[in-house]
Amino acid sequence: MKRERRIKIIATLGPASSTEEMCAKLFEAGVDVFRINMSHTQRETLAEKVAMLRSLEGKFHRPVGILADLQGPKLRVGQFGGDGGVMLENGARFVLDADPAPGDAKRVHLPHPEILSALEPGHTLILDDGKLRLVVEKASPKQAVTKVVVGGRLSSRKGVSLPDTTIAVSAMTEKDRADAEVAAEVGVDWIALSFVQRPEDMAELRKIVRGRALALAKIEKPQAVARMEEIIDASDAIMVARGDLGVEMPLEKVPGTQKRLTRMARLKGKPVVVATQMLESMITSPVPTRAEVSDVATAVFEGADAVMLSAESAAGQYPVEAVTMMNRIAEEVENDAVYRSILDSQRNEPEATGADAIAKAAHEIAETLNLKAICAWTSSGSTAFRIARERPNSTVIALTPNRATARRLTLVWGVHAIVTKDASDADDMAFRACKFAVRERYAALGDRVIVVAGVPFGTPGATNMVRIAFIAQEHVAKA
């Protein structure tokens, strides 16, 4: 199955997409990676979901990517007495404290001592997804006295966001640790960590996963934005999670933050996913708004590796239509006259390594000779990651003996992964690269392709060779 676009599409599983039949339709419509939200998934059923998605590989003869998204810490206020809620008036004083007694119009329990210990005067607390806003006037480990800046009704167990406060607690809860262990055990390809604040959060996830999956950092807190370079360095990929990011920082700052994160990730050669409310109206409508189309197009123009659907595919009335629309937008943008000039203007100089120099050389040769494909032999996937960072005009065909590598590469911009046995020598390497380029319809008789590999074969990280190969009749006959 050949995609006619470079950017990848992630779709979230849910009630609207829980069957193998529906997932097959979504894959045909354009999904490259399926997201399993662990906030709504019992870890006991995770293996069953993974097995269902893996069955699609046999049907479509293509690797299918699976992303497990950990819930992360959910910070909430305690319980209120009476009818379970109070009205907070603008300008009023309101206390959050360590007392577990039911709350009232003056105070409420905050069952997170780590928050009370970290709050300082001037810090903002955002409640109930941005509906209410408080500013701390006095703080101690036992209570925080706040002033209500934006009032409204506050009910029991509503969420708390802390845009100014770095909490001295891990982004991983005990549930997350157990979920990550099970996800790695059943063979998901990517594990996403929510509410990352510091690079140490990603180090903790990596320690649990132990290389069995790749680690993706969800950037949804201002603290993570402030340390974006360190967090990207500590991660295999990032996600611009604009939902919570838009709650914890002024909405008008989110687009610029999205662009900075996208460009920094590309500079580092790490995939970047843009997520949340991309085609939100398609939860209940068969067509999106014009603004949503423009939003998706912006992510494509910026060179993001993937765009993601959340409720649109998980619980919406039109999941297949939403994927189809996202696919159509991506194809149209990538064929636009200004698309290539935007990508090229953002290209960075390669790192001073042999592998990066080879990746840049392969891109420049392919561009100079207008070649159809860059065929990269890769064991770990690092060669394909490096070439994708260049955003070449040629398709990147990743040839790998490792099925896990092929599945991980489903998230990476412009990469078409194929599982095949490793090359035995340089001639076999070139011959089979040409054969697969023809078989997958990326090249035809008389075309030329670039072949990139490492010698000795099968050695991870040893990319040191680039070769131009000509598509001959023997390649077509064997394809």
Side-chain angles (χ1 to χ4, degrees), residues 243-254:
D244 282 287
L245 199 57
V247 171
E248 297 215 9
M249 67 165 48
L251 283 171
E252 64 273 15
K253 291 184 178 293
V254 174

Side-chain angles (χ1 to χ4, degrees), residues 45-46 53 55 59 70 74 77 84 97 108 121 135 182 258 348 374 386 415 460:
T45 67
L46 185 58
L53 293 172
S55 69
K59 178 173 181 156
L70 304 179
K74 291 294 185 181
V77 299
D97 59 34
V108 72
V135 174
V182 171
Q258 175 180 317
N348 300 290
I374 299 173
R386 285 187 173 97
V415 175

Side-chain angles (χ1 to χ4, degrees), residues 358 361-367 369 371-376 387 394-395 397 433 448-452 465-469:
I358 290 289
H363 171 228
E364 290 183 344
I365 293 169
E367 193 172 71
L369 300 179
L371 304 187
K372 300 288 186 179
I374 299 173
C375 302
I387 297 172
S394 309
T395 296
I397 301 176
R448 289 175 295 178
V449 299
I450 287 283
V451 185
V452 178
M465 185 177 72
V466 59
R467 175 172 171 176
I468 301 173

Side-chain angles (χ1 to χ4, degrees), residues 63-128:
V64 175
I66 302 176
L67 166 68
D69 194 337
L70 304 179
Q71 176 176 291
K74 291 294 185 181
L75 307 177
R76 302 182 186 278
V77 299
Q79 300 282 348
F80 286 95
D83 64 354
V86 297
M87 183 62 68
L88 300 186
E89 302 293 340
N90 289 359
R93 296 296 182 277
F94 189 72
V95 176
L96 299 103
D97 59 34
D99 183 355
D104 53 32
K106 299 291 186 183
R107 57 156 296 277
V108 72
H109 180 217
L110 186 61
H112 303 285
E114 66 274 14
I115 296 180
L116 290 173
S117 297
L119 287 174
E120 297 177 6
H123 284 194
T124 297
L125 292 92
I126 299 170
L127 310 178
D128 195 8

